[in-house]
Amino acid sequence: MKKRSDPRHKKRENIIRELFVWQFQKDLKASETTKQVLENLKEIDDKIKKAATTWPIEQINRIDLAILRLSVYELTTKVDIPPKVVVDEAVELAKEYGADSSPKFVNGVLGKVIDLEGIST
């Protein structure tokens, strides 16, 4: 497991916080990555909807949704980050910030996104 002090982990934590707050406060001053996620939100949410068919996006825990949005963005846009790293980071963030069922849910949705998008692992 990566250390919580890892700068990449810290950056992801901050982006997750921004995405979480944005769900309640749309006029958020955001980092560049958060802005890029929000610019691609429709496509990202469509991928989440296809992967989590039993959970309407409005019913997904808001912190889990923030983690999924960043992770799907990284999986589909940031080809320089290995999918295994994206999923591992997402699961760790879900353990830290989500409910007891969050890590399993996030892992399952991201696995399905990887399959549906044909992302090689």
Side-chain angles (χ1 to χ4, degrees), residues 76-91:
T76 58
T77 307
K78 298 285 190 179
V79 293
D80 59 325
I81 304 172
K84 183 174 171 41
V85 171
V86 173
V87 173
D88 182 54
E89 278 288 321
V91 169

Side-chain angles (χ1 to χ4, degrees), residues 13-31:
E13 279 183 321
N14 290 333
I15 294 166
I16 295 302
R17 282 189 192 114
E18 289 177 353
L19 290 169
F20 179 80
V21 170
W22 176 85
Q23 295 174 84
F24 304 98
Q25 181 183 342
K26 304 292 188 209
D27 61 342
L28 173 73
K29 195 177 229 183
S31 68

